[in-house]
Amino acid sequence: MNIILDLLLLLITIIYSYLESLVKFFIPRKRKSVAGEIVLITGAGHGIGRLTAYEFAKQKSRLVLWDINKRGVEETAAECRKLGVTAQAFVVDCSNREEIYRCVDQIKKEVGDVSIVVNNAGTIYPADLLSTKDDEITKTFEVNILGHFWITKALLPPMMKRNHGHIVTVASVCGHEVIPYLIPYCSSKFAAVGFHRALTAELKALGKTGIKTSCLCPVFVNTGFTKNPSTRIWPVLETDEVVRSLIDGILTNKKMIFVPSGISFYLTLLK
């Protein structure tokens, strides 16, 4: 009996997914304007963070860019200014709570209240569990999830007051399904997905429907963290493809952004 119910639920889910995709194909979601919004992007010195900054610059947002790499984040800011927007670069270690709080206070005084945050900074140490050093495990969680807590706590009060804002969590498909030799990374991304879902539910419970949330979950992305990336399970994506999906998801207030989008169907079947 349970098997029949499971199959029936699966069939309903598949039909619903196809109908939803069909409707969205013919009636695309309305895209919001982010012109003039103050956007904070972490990990903006390279990869997804850098290209995301460029896309927000094209949308005429005001940019606050963070990265631990001074040269990288300043290069990103300089390119954004060429697109005709204000962009300020800050060297911030997203694993350091005190540094995060101090920089947020500085931004509030010098720039204003951030209304969109893209928690993108991340780190990865590919290795089997026994070969992974203790400090690498700690660093993975400090950057990939704890930093999201400190940044969001620091930026959320003005958003709550205005009931306006957008909090973006950059996670991974590894926050839904695991692959070997990345136990700390997968665990931290599961936590990031949980953070996004719990925050979304809490904002709704508090009646703060003007504060939107999005979670980016791509498969493996060629960002330069690892040499010659490859996987048997999923395709390796280029950064620009992922960022296009991310920006589209933010501008349409999409809660969960899978790249490629078909991954959501795979995960449904897996469940």
Side-chain angles (χ1 to χ4, degrees), residues 83-265:
L83 295 171
V85 299
T86 59
Q88 293 178 255
F90 297 85
V91 178
V92 181
D93 179 356
C94 288
S95 69
N96 188 314
R97 181 177 54 189
E98 288 74 22
E99 197 170 313
I100 288 170
Y101 287 163
R102 185 168 57 250
C103 193
V104 168
D105 287 340
Q106 181 182 353
I107 290 165
K108 287 179 179 179
K109 293 174 183 176
E110 297 179 3
V111 185
D113 291 327
V114 171
S115 54
I116 300 175
V117 57
V118 182
N119 282 313
N120 165 70
T123 190
I124 184 172
Y125 299 96
D128 64 273
L129 179 61
L130 297 181
S131 300
T132 307
K133 299 176 183 177
D134 290 356
D135 61 340
E136 292 174 339
I137 295 173
T138 301
K139 193 73 170 180
T140 298
F141 278 86
E142 286 176 340
V143 177
N144 292 4
I145 180 58
L146 290 180
H148 293 210
F149 276 88
W150 317 141
I151 293 167
T152 303
K153 282 192 70 179
L155 297 176
L156 192 54
M159 295 186 195
M160 297 278 282
K161 187 176 181 180
R162 297 170 56 205
N163 192 22
H164 174 77
H166 202 135
I167 299 167
V168 182
T169 302
V170 176
S172 168
V173 73
C174 290
H176 300 268
E177 178 60 17
V178 299
I179 57 177
Y181 307 112
L182 288 174
I183 292 178
Y185 179 79
C186 290
S187 300
S188 70
K189 292 303 182 179
F190 263 83
V193 171
F195 172 82
H196 158 76
R197 294 181 63 186
L199 178 64
T200 302
E202 184 163 294
L203 290 170
K204 182 179 180 181
L206 291 170
K208 300 300 180 179
T209 54
I211 304 174
K212 308 302 181 182
T213 58
S214 297
C215 184
L216 175 67
C217 295
V219 299
F220 205 93
V221 187
N222 184 16
T223 59
F225 269 127
T226 57
K227 295 180 180 179
N228 303 317
S230 63
T231 173
R232 298 180 195 176
I233 306 174
W234 302 307
V236 176
L237 304 174
E238 293 303 322
T239 309
D240 57 348
E241 178 184 355
V242 176
V243 172
R244 283 197 301 270
S245 296
L246 173 59
I247 293 297
D248 182 71
I250 293 171
L251 296 182
T252 57
N253 295 323
K254 190 173 183 180
K255 285 186 171 58
M256 192 65 70
I257 306 165
F258 288 103
V259 190
S261 58
I263 289 295
S264 60
F265 180 69

